[in-house]
Amino acid sequence: MKLTIHRRTHQIGGCVTEIESNGFRVFIDFDEELPGALTNDLNPITGLTSGDVARSALFITHYHGDHIGKICDANPELPIYAGETATEIFKTLENRLSYIPDPIESAKRKQIVERIKTIRPFHALQEIKVGEICVTPLLVDHSAFDAYMFIVEAENIRILHTGDFRGHGFRSKGLLPTLRKYATDIDFIISEGTNISKPDAALKSEHLLQKDFEGYFRKYKYNFVLVSSTNIDRLFSLYHAAKFAQRCFVCDGYQAGILRYVSSRHKQFTPFYDIDFDQKSNPAGRFFDLKRRGKEPLTFDGRLKSYLDRYGFCMPIRSTDLFKSITDEYHKSDESKVYYSMWNGYLDNTKTAFNKSLYDFIMPYNPVYLHTSGHTGAEKLAAVFDTVKPKQGIIPIHTEHPEAFKKKFPDYCVILLKDKEVFEVKGVMRLG
Ligand SMILES: [Zn+2]
Ligand SMILES: [Zn+2]
């Protein structure tokens, strides 16, 4: 078996991992550069972008752009696998972006939507065979919904690829029990290390973050939260925080569509995903979605406005003209607050990911920063390693500090690979 990390052994961002066994190839994730990152064109990769793809497949851990963004560069015949709900959310996002005025960007998004339609959806624990390689997805908690780790097995060698994950989300409780049950006999862990230098205590749990929002929503009547529309758990959390604080929840049709879709498929597993769309709950905690009128900015009209003005509300917003006038209108009131609930690196002009239009939109509102990372800290990473106990080693990816793995996990063999380096993987004798 041969293992190649084509990119991101020393950077945060999506990787292209390749596991090859007797001519069969499994690729995990196909990235787009993080916004603002320096780009160098990806060389052709046999079985992914060039050559024969009949014995290859691409598996997507989750729908963040740095993991799925380049799927249109993959050979059109290449089978792509991704989580079912994740695929639907990604398609909805790209479909919306395909209506933007920039014709080049719009055409690119339309092409992505067409490729998404070819994705073969999987569910957790479904074993998928690519020739003699077997891939098993394990559901994990991340700031993207329906995200997965993968167990890849061939030639009696078992590899766990973590994708992006965390231990402080709403669904993180299942992480170690899932690994204990299914990630057995693992030889290598290919592990993300975004927050390798951060203690877990520095990462606020989503649960506590919800409490913080609830406290603010009790204090302020009109609440606007700039949040990613694909950070699904955060959106549901905002709904619950608003409801507990006796405020309404109001969003646009796009976000409402995503919430309805996720709710219909997941509320049977937990009430967290159950939203009272029929508005039978108490008058103060009602859900509203705003119908768009062409390109007109969103407004509250007539009875809806007097209702929302009476009870107060939480509204997720995006940094576009659609939301600007309504945010401006309420921002004049002392009872209004604007929150920034995304990575603060986008607002830091010393970082390559700095997003000027986002900065220009949000900063005049003097926003409250309420956010927590989608990535695990070092302690949960250690708990994962100690649970799985990889027999042969740990290979860091998706990190700016791969060498920190050696310092933090001295009991394990940490293998620092270079981008594109081909690593020969050999099995070990198994007892019993
Ligand atoms: Zn990532
Ligand atoms: Zn991610």
Side-chain angles (χ1 to χ4, degrees):
M1 182 192 274
K2 289 193 184 80
L3 176 97
T4 312
I5 313 293
H6 287 274
R7 341 167 87 158
R8 300 295 175 274
T9 54
H10 290 71
Q11 279 171 304
I12 292 169
C15 311
V16 183
T17 296
E18 176 183 348
I19 293 164
E20 189 266 346
S21 173
N22 293 324
F24 291 97
R25 290 183 162 92
V26 160
F27 294 90
I28 298 175
D29 291 339
F30 195 10
D31 78 319
E32 185 171 65
E33 296 289 343
L34 287 174
L38 297 172
T39 56
N40 39 358
D41 282 337
L42 200 62
N43 294 324
I45 298 175
T46 305
L48 178 67
T49 60
S50 69
D52 180 15
V53 297
R55 296 201 287 175
S56 304
L58 170 62
F59 289 78
I60 302 294
T61 57
H62 63 287
Y63 54 63
H64 281 156
D66 56 315
H67 295 256
I68 196 172
K70 289 265 184 201
I71 52 169
C72 286
D73 291 10
N75 184 303
E77 303 297 320
L78 181 78
I80 302 178
Y81 293 88
E84 191 171 10
T85 306
T87 302
E88 194 59 34
I89 292 168
F90 188 52
K91 189 169 79 188
T92 309
L93 167 74
E94 293 296 323
N95 201 30
R96 177 176 66 81
L97 294 174
S98 73
Y99 290 101
I100 58 170
D102 179 344
I104 296 171
E105 194 61 22
S106 169
K108 193 178 136 197
R109 300 294 178 176
K110 284 197 176 105
Q111 203 192 353
I112 294 175
V113 171
E114 289 309 307
R115 191 58 165 117
I116 295 169
K117 289 177 186 167
T118 71
I119 286 180
R120 304 175 186 196
F122 61 65
H123 53 80
L125 304 177
Q126 180 184 345
E127 290 185 354
I128 301 159
K129 296 266 169 41
V130 181
E132 48 190 67
I133 308 176
C134 180
V135 180
T136 310
L138 305 180
L139 186 67
V140 288
D141 188 291
H142 179 45
S143 45
F145 194 79
D146 199 30
Y148 291 89
M149 293 187 178
F150 293 120
I151 297 171
V152 184
E153 180 171 6
E155 301 175 37
N156 238 345
I157 299 165
R158 281 164 63 80
I159 295 174
L160 177 70
H161 187 295
T162 68
D164 291 355
F165 75 101
R166 63 179 168 180
H168 55 281
F170 290 113
R171 288 164 298 131
S172 295
K173 264 190 292 187
L175 175 65
L176 297 182
T178 300
L179 292 173
R180 215 167 279 134
K181 191 163 181 190
Y182 301 103
T184 52
D185 267 333
I186 295 293
D187 291 278
F188 293 93
I189 300 184
I190 300 170
S191 175
E192 78 124 313
T194 314
N195 286 332
I196 179 75
S197 304
K198 275 196 193 138
D200 285 62
L203 301 165
K204 185 174 279 188
S205 73
E206 283 284 349
H207 188 73
L208 284 177
L209 191 75
Q210 182 179 314
K211 289 266 172 222
D212 286 351
F213 272 116
E214 187 188 325
Y216 273 101
F217 294 170
R218 285 185 194 281
K219 197 167 163 196
Y220 294 93
K221 206 169 173 188
Y222 313 122
N223 300 281
F224 295 88
V225 186
L226 186 68
V227 55
S228 162
S229 298
T230 58
N231 192 342
I232 306 299
D233 282 358
R234 186 72 51 80
L235 286 173
F236 276 94
S237 176
L238 289 170
Y239 165 77
H240 292 296
K243 197 169 168 184
F244 287 134
Q246 298 285 294
R247 302 290 183 210
C248 296
F249 184 86
V250 54
C251 63
D252 80 328
Y254 162 63
Q255 286 159 338
I258 290 181
L259 292 173
R260 281 180 202 278
Y261 176 79
V262 173
S263 184
S264 70
R265 299 179 64 90
H266 296 269
K267 68 180 175 193
Q268 61 273 37
F269 304 116
T270 157
F272 181 72
Y273 298 119
D274 195 359
I275 287 183
D276 184 9
F277 294 107
D278 299 330
Q279 312 200 356
K280 289 183 190 138
S281 57
N282 62 36
R286 287 172 66 172
F287 180 96
F288 295 97
D289 65 281
L290 296 172
K291 302 281 172 282
R292 272 186 76 172
R293 286 164 301 191
K295 289 182 179 141
E296 293 283 299
L298 293 171
T299 51
F300 305 150
D301 292 332
R303 282 175 56 195
L304 176 64
K305 179 162 171 51
S306 51
Y307 197 94
L308 293 174
D309 284 355
R310 179 173 170 198
Y311 290 106
F313 58 85
C314 158
M315 181 179 190
I317 56 170
R318 303 190 290 278
S319 57
T320 66
D321 288 344
L322 195 64
F323 297 90
K324 189 161 177 9
S325 53
I326 199 154
T327 314
D328 281 346
E329 181 190 329
Y330 279 91
H331 184 60
K332 292 174 198 142
S333 160
D334 290 345
E335 295 184 288
S336 172
K337 205 67 169 162
V338 178
Y339 310 82
Y340 179 74
S341 191
M342 292 164 73
W343 182 48
N344 54 10
Y346 295 128
L347 303 181
D348 180 349
N349 62 10
T350 64
K351 288 210 161 32
T352 47
F354 176 63
N355 183 328
K356 188 171 182 315
S357 66
L358 190 67
Y359 182 93
D360 290 345
F361 178 91
I362 196 72
M363 292 318 276
Y365 300 121
N366 190 22
V368 174
Y369 177 63
L370 282 183
H371 181 59
T372 189
S373 174
H375 302 273
T376 185
E379 287 146 51
K380 188 57 89 176
L381 216 46
V384 165
F385 299 156
D386 291 345
T387 301
V388 177
K389 297 187 179 67
K391 293 188 183 75
Q392 298 202 58
I394 297 166
I395 300 168
I397 57 168
H398 202 286
T399 177
E400 288 173 349
H401 307 288
E403 65 293 338
F405 277 68
K406 287 203 170 205
K407 281 195 206 107
K408 297 221 181 235
F409 311 115
D411 297 342
Y412 294 96
C413 170
V414 173
I415 301 153
L416 301 182
L417 296 181
K418 295 193 189 78
D419 284 5
K420 302 187 179 68
E421 180 181 344
V422 179
F423 179 64
E424 288 270 357
V425 185
K426 298 210 167 45
V428 288
M429 289 288 287
R430 293 181 195 282
L431 300 173

